[in-house]
Amino acid sequence: MPLSRRAFLELLGGSTAYAFAAGCGTGDDGFVEVTAPAKGKIGARDHAVRHFIDYTEWIVIHPDGSVTAYTGRIEMGQGLKTVLMDLVSQGLELPREKIEVVLGDTDLCPDDGPTEGSNATRIVGWRGFWRACERIRGHLVERAAKRLGVPPAKLRYADGAVIGVGKRSHRIGIGELADGTVHLGTLDPRDRYVSARPYEDRGTPPVNGEAIVTGTLAYAGDLFCGEAPYGSWRVPPYHAHLTRAESLDLERARRQPGVDLVAPMGNTAMAIGSSFRGVERCLEKAVTAWSVPKRPLDLKVEEEIRARAKLKKVIEERGTPDDAFTGCRVDLAETYITQYASQAPMETETAIAEIDGDRATVWTSTQAPFKARASVAETLRIPEENVRIISLPVGGGFGVKVGTQAPKEAAQIARVAGRKVKLVYSREHQFVGRSRYKEAVVADLRSGVGADGRIVARTLDLHQDEGFGSTGTYDIPNVRSRLFRSPMPGRHGTMRGTSFVQTCFAVESHTDSLADALGVDPVEFRLRNIAEPAFGPLLDACADMIGYRSRRSGDGRGIGFGICHHGGRQLGATAAEVSVDRTTGVVRVERLAGAFDIGIIVNRNTLGATVTGAMIWGLGYALFEEVEMDGHRCHTRGLGDYRIPRFSDVPPIELAFFDNVTRAHAPRGCGELPVITAAAAIANAVARAVGVRFHTLPITPDRVLAAIGTQRGGNQSVT
Amino acid sequence: MTSTTIRLRVNGESRTVDVDPEEPLLWVLRDHLGLTGAKFGCGEGVCGVCSVLINNEVYRSCAVAVGEIAADDEIVTIEGLGRPGNLSPLQQAFIDHTAFGCGYCTPGMIVTAEGLLRSNPSPTRAEIVTAMDDNLCRCASYPAIVDAVASVAGDDADRRED
């Protein structure tokens, strides 16, 4: 969407802004010079772009030589702020102290799309900020040359200034060069971009580190303490979309200490008061009866998903998948099922809303500030530009904070209250309030393998609420994969690894089944069938790290592998070694090894933290995480009911990083891929350890014991 | 209203609050005393992000009613361990090991580790894991947290493992 230059001019005032807008029309040199405004007045509202691929970037150079970088993406522990700081610091050769990175403020930052899909470093960081710095360096050299009346070749950019080559007497700092003008350029994120110079990871510490360890980093809930009252709403006992409050006792509820107001709200009740606990207690009394959901109490996940499924799209079709099975040495059909899971960030969703006439400000913990802005505007029936979302550091998102419920509800409650209100989700709100679970998936797979060990044909039917995962890890000539959409009793929400975790578990378990049916080593079988040669070194690295060639599976110990690719050509492999207690059914992950082809590393500290954490996420998803529900209600209502990985679950983890697949020497991101491959690898390792394939995640002790029991009964497969 | 005047000692200072004695300490720290380092995570004492020390022992401040605390009990929050520019050895170790992702659980982790080190200055890695196992970190920075605590516990943590 082209930037309105007039709007842009109006917004600026004293500093030099470099704005890079996709599709923006400019002069031949890509820059337009205009008069600039005062620090802190930069806005981007009028050229907000709606989708992340059409991003817009801003870097502002102030007269004192300091720089502010703005993006609508947010920090949630993945290290984006650190990565952007590092890229701008190295890109403009400035110390960190001279740089400020502003994230997710809809009045100040461009709309770079929601922070999801492990693409912020690649798209906003590399193709945006790093490339912008390159353009700025070149432009400032040209500018200095014009001013000094020397050819640009006699000058170069260094240490936040333009200096004369071989003659230090020419030295103009960027603050002075930037002097009161604005340069507008265009960058299309879809362009192929090769950096003019290499980036060097200097292993700098995370930017928020000191604030985090001293407890002084302000999250949304830390704002307006003792000032804004708490507002909340009653979580229904049933799935929220299947019930409503039938009778209220507001009088009794009102008597709770610390409560100012109780009122009906939508299908439930809301309250406001000075005490978080008081408001929650009040709400427990406010609703005395709920309508009972009109659907069967019994919930049969697989049956219901199949019964409601309607073909939504053909994901991939080539060759003649219906005929190609004929004559295959192995023709194997299997079904894999995954359960509902919950993001469970440590910080629950939080929003503070203040309404002033037809304007609203919301401070919140969100992965999608611009979606939140639209949602709040719609709720309050005011124009989007009258709403400002100010994003605070997110205390874990994992997909759930792409939703915009909390900002919207805070605005609703603030309007009723007539004052600024803070909404902090209780754990019950977080788990069941709006029931946005990682979707359960039923995957039907059938593959035909030739005598040469090559997969000849595959059909894959995925049945799920939304999205779909990667099906293209292997090079198969005859394929048909389809997505059947099936609305769930518990509603869908995005969660780290999205649908890839489920699909990769199904495909990689099936891959091991095929290898076993052929009597071929599972690593060897993968190497024969991979679509990308770059998977080879990853599998080898994992096998080496875990000592695969020198160890044996069986007798309660097993090693398994999982490979997958994810957005932006990230490739990953993981090996897991597990032990299984055959009497208790408890699985223990003994070691994990991950190899990821993800391009260059911007910051090894934040990458290491993210990837290690993601591997452990895979462990949780494979072994523990399951939201318990029936047709009427969710039984998982607190952190005590939902098993996530903890200290004692974590094995030694070894990681290796590669840059073979593109050799573009650019970062490609890695926030989700390790979850995907680790979960698949662990499932395969457990199957190796006990000699039975598991068709359902998570692999809980009950499922292990059932599997072992079935094995004794002679059947080699259980669900 | 059931408010009572309650006297507390927090981070070495005497403080007075007018509050319902049933109010959990967490919300008194946050809403009445402006100490927001202890976070809300679960409200039922199972996640540890609200951990504080009371007389050198680790407590879940969301599960302690403020009325149960004696006037001379010494409460220490993350703010009492070190400040920006003047970090405690544990705080510095958490930075050096990048022992956090989003950082939301970090104050509770550091307070819990501090409690462990006050009672056992040189724990083994296994003792660190046991002492901290009820503190949850959804970014799963667990290995780096153990490394950070072990580095402050001295070489003992690694040596005694062998």
Side-chain angles (χ1 to χ4, degrees):
Chain A
M1 170 181 160
L3 164 64
S4 147
R5 274 187 219 160
R6 191 186 52 76
F8 184 58
L9 287 169
E10 282 170 7
L11 288 161
L12 300 179
S15 302
T16 294
Y18 285 87
F20 299 89
C24 225
T26 56
D28 288 341
D29 65 347
F31 292 98
V32 177
E33 300 197 0
V34 292
T35 311
K39 190 168 179 171
K41 292 276 185 186
I42 300 294
R45 188 181 292 148
D46 289 280
H47 68 121
V49 180
R50 300 296 163 213
H51 194 259
F52 69 83
I53 200 72
D54 293 329
Y55 72 104
T56 307
E57 307 295 347
W58 291 86
I59 291 177
V60 177
I61 299 173
H62 304 291
D64 65 358
S66 66
V67 167
T68 309
Y70 298 91
T71 173
R73 297 292 184 107
I74 57 86
E75 172 64 51
M76 54 181 172
Q78 84 282 38
L80 181 63
K81 192 169 185 180
T82 300
V83 158
L84 297 179
M85 178 67 91
D86 283 345
L87 289 169
V88 175
S89 171
Q90 206 169 118
L92 294 180
E93 302 180 34
L94 290 169
R96 280 179 162 195
E97 302 74 58
K98 291 214 156 186
I99 302 163
E100 192 188 358
V101 179
V102 177
L103 302 169
D105 183 323
T106 57
D107 268 16
L108 302 180
C109 303
D111 181 358
D112 297 316
T115 306
E116 59 180 354
S118 305
N119 58 28
T121 297
R122 174 169 57 93
I123 295 178
V124 176
W126 189 256
R127 294 188 189 173
F129 282 27
W130 180 253
R131 182 157 54 151
C133 289
E134 191 176 298
R135 296 278 293 265
I136 290 168
R137 291 196 308 265
H139 181 68
L140 291 179
V141 166
E142 279 171 25
R143 218 159 202 254
K146 216 178 273 179
R147 185 186 290 191
L148 295 166
V150 300
K154 294 278 181 196
L155 301 170
R156 68 188 176 90
Y157 185 97
D159 300 328
V162 175
I163 59 171
V165 175
K167 211 203 246 182
R168 300 281 302 187
S169 57
H170 290 317
R171 187 181 193 289
I172 314 178
I174 56 170
E176 195 189 331
L177 267 178
D179 181 34
T181 40
V182 169
H183 315 273
L184 167 65
T186 64
L187 293 174
D188 187 334
R190 291 158 298 194
D191 285 349
R192 186 176 157 72
Y193 167 61
V194 179
S195 171
R197 68 179 191 197
Y199 172 86
E200 179 201 350
D201 172 23
R202 293 170 188 160
T204 49
V207 287
N208 283 338
E210 193 171 71
I212 285 173
V213 301
T214 52
T216 52
L217 184 69
Y219 300 84
D222 299 334
L223 303 181
F224 311 113
C225 285
E227 181 192 329
Y230 292 95
S232 191
W233 49 275
R234 177 69 176 137
V235 180
Y238 304 115
H239 294 305
H241 58 291
L242 300 179
T243 186
R244 64 191 161 74
E246 286 204 319
S247 78
L248 303 170
D249 187 349
L250 303 182
E251 204 43 51
R252 189 173 71 109
R254 178 71 184 75
R255 290 197 289 269
Q256 175 68 33
V259 170
D260 300 333
L261 173 77
V262 195
M265 183 175 96
N267 66 349
T268 178
M270 56 154 276
I272 296 155
S274 58
S275 155
F276 173 85
R277 174 174 156 277
V279 167
E280 290 300 322
R281 291 215 157 175
C282 151
L283 286 168
E284 283 165 21
K285 296 170 191 155
V287 184
T288 50
W290 294 87
S291 67
V292 179
K294 292 183 181 64
R295 58 144 288 148
L297 177 62
D298 201 18
L299 174 65
K300 292 181 171 149
V301 173
E302 181 181 354
E303 286 87 333
E304 292 198 18
I305 285 177
R306 284 190 190 283
R308 294 174 191 200
K310 289 199 176 73
L311 180 65
K312 188 178 179 194
K313 68 184 282 186
V314 175
I315 302 166
E316 198 182 3
E317 182 152 26
R318 63 171 173 269
T320 52
D322 294 316
D323 309 328
F325 288 95
T326 316
C328 282
R329 184 161 149 208
V330 169
D331 179 351
L332 183 66
E334 292 183 302
T335 293
Y336 288 94
I337 300 160
T338 56
Q339 305 297 324
Y340 297 104
S342 182
Q343 303 86 353
M346 297 314 298
E347 176 205 39
T348 58
E349 282 166 78
T350 302
I352 302 114
E354 182 172 41
I355 299 170
D356 181 9
D358 64 349
R359 307 190 70 87
T361 306
V362 181
W363 295 260
T364 187
S365 172
T366 179
Q367 292 176 246
F370 287 85
K371 273 179 68 185
R373 184 178 71 170
S375 178
V376 169
E378 194 190 344
T379 303
L380 298 177
R381 297 178 201 284
I382 58 176
E384 265 190 51
E385 57 267 29
N386 288 13
V387 177
R388 180 179 184 182
I389 304 290
I390 300 174
S391 303
L392 280 298
V394 174
F398 313 114
V400 76
K401 291 172 185 171
V402 172
T404 60
Q405 293 290 349
K408 194 168 87 179
E409 291 157 3
Q412 272 177 298
I413 297 169
R415 186 168 54 184
V416 174
R419 57 198 284 208
K420 187 191 287 173
V421 164
K422 183 194 283 193
L423 168 63
V424 177
Y425 269 16
S426 70
R427 267 303 147 189
E428 201 176 28
H429 285 88
Q430 194 64 57
F431 272 110
V432 302
R434 289 291 181 245
S435 61
R436 283 165 287 136
Y437 310 106
K438 188 179 191 78
E439 66 274 26
V441 174
V442 177
D444 294 328
L445 269 158
R446 180 186 172 197
S447 298
V449 186
D452 60 354
R454 295 291 305 267
I455 307 170
V456 176
R458 169 165 296 170
T459 60
L460 168 61
D461 285 343
L462 295 166
H463 309 78
Q464 60 192 95
D465 199 313
E466 281 289 346
F468 59 89
S470 166
T471 60
T473 301
Y474 296 101
D475 176 26
I476 307 170
N478 303 288
V479 172
R480 182 177 58 239
S481 49
R482 297 182 295 185
L483 173 67
F484 293 82
R485 183 161 190 272
S486 177
M488 307 188 301
R491 282 185 175 166
H492 163 269
T494 182
M495 177 165 152
R496 195 178 195 181
T498 56
S499 300
F500 281 71
V501 189
Q502 300 96 314
T503 311
C504 183
F505 156 67
V507 168
E508 285 300 85
S509 294
H510 185 62
T511 302
D512 264 30
S513 290
L514 295 173
D516 290 353
L518 278 170
V520 176
D521 175 85
V523 174
E524 172 55 31
F525 182 66
R526 282 178 174 80
L527 290 172
R528 273 186 217 174
N529 287 284
I530 44 182
E532 290 261 15
F535 275 120
L538 304 183
L539 276 162
D540 285 343
C542 287
D544 286 349
M545 284 187 279
I546 209 124
Y548 180 61
R549 320 272 179 211
S550 61
R551 297 160 106 99
R552 269 218 172 141
S553 289
D555 284 340
R557 251 182 132 82
I559 294 175
F561 291 81
I563 65 174
C564 194
H565 64 86
H566 193 239
R569 299 196 77 195
Q570 306 158 16
L571 265 54
T574 295
E577 181 177 8
V578 305
S579 62
V580 180
D581 184 323
R582 296 183 69 99
T583 50
T584 60
V586 171
V587 176
R588 177 155 187 86
V589 180
E590 300 289 347
R591 283 184 321 141
L592 287 171
F596 302 97
D597 195 322
I598 53 160
I600 63 158
I601 294 167
V602 179
N603 187 305
R604 56 184 175 266
N605 294 326
T606 56
L607 178 76
T610 301
V611 173
T612 302
M615 299 275 279
I616 298 167
W617 259 66
L619 187 160
Y621 193 74
L623 300 181
F624 310 137
E625 296 191 29
E626 180 168 4
V627 171
E628 307 257 359
M629 64 172 86
D630 60 34
H632 287 184
R633 71 176 80 208
C634 176
H635 299 283
T636 305
R637 300 182 89 83
L639 264 182
D641 307 331
Y642 191 70
R643 174 86 160 87
I644 62 172
R646 49 211 309 144
F647 277 97
S648 55
D649 297 317
V650 176
I653 297 171
E654 215 176 325
L655 302 174
F657 296 101
F658 293 79
D659 187 14
N660 292 330
V661 67
T662 65
R663 295 186 193 277
H665 306 299
R668 276 175 271 132
C670 199
E672 298 173 271
L673 184 55
V675 182
I676 299 162
T677 52
I682 290 167
N684 277 333
V686 180
R688 299 270 155 212
V690 299
V692 190
R693 183 135 301 281
F694 290 81
H695 291 251
T696 303
L697 287 190
I699 304 173
T700 55
D702 285 350
R703 291 196 175 109
V704 171
L705 291 177
I708 292 170
T710 313
Q711 185 182 29
R712 291 200 182 105
N715 187 331
Q716 285 297 300
S717 207
V718 294
T719 53
Chain B
M1 199 64 191
T2 54
S3 266
T4 310
T5 301
I6 290 176
R7 291 177 53 217
L8 297 169
R9 280 191 63 77
V10 183
N11 298 330
E13 286 177 30
S14 296
R15 308 288 295 261
T16 306
V17 288
D18 287 317
V19 67
D20 178 355
E22 296 280 307
E23 188 75 7
L25 174 62
L26 172 66
W27 300 106
V28 175
L29 292 171
R30 294 177 60 81
D31 291 331
H32 296 259
L33 299 176
L35 296 168
T36 55
K39 308 297 181 196
F40 168 73
C42 66
E44 50 179 346
V46 300
C47 77
V49 305
C50 66
S51 297
V52 299
L53 299 179
I54 303 176
N55 299 332
N56 292 324
E57 276 191 50
V58 181
Y59 283 85
R60 303 301 166 88
S61 65
C62 78
V64 177
V66 68
E68 294 168 15
I69 300 170
D72 59 350
D73 283 346
E74 291 284 348
I75 301 165
V76 176
T77 68
I78 187 71
E79 290 91 344
L81 295 180
R83 304 299 297 160
N86 184 25
L87 302 180
S88 77
L90 260 177
Q91 288 170 323
Q92 185 61 51
F94 270 62
I95 294 177
D96 294 344
H97 290 84
T98 316
F100 45 78
C102 73
Y104 196 78
C105 73
T106 311
M109 290 288 179
I110 292 175
V111 165
T112 303
E114 179 74 24
L116 166 67
L117 295 179
R118 285 185 184 187
S119 66
N120 176 4
S122 44
T124 63
R125 293 180 80 90
E127 286 168 341
I128 294 167
V129 167
T130 303
M132 303 198 61
D133 206 27
D134 289 335
N135 283 53
L136 301 177
C137 170
R138 190 55 159 159
C139 300
S141 297
Y142 299 121
I145 295 171
V146 175
D147 288 345
V149 178
S151 76
V152 174
D155 297 336
D156 289 16
D158 289 314
R159 200 178 57 241
R160 283 164 54 191
E161 215 75 18
D162 300 333

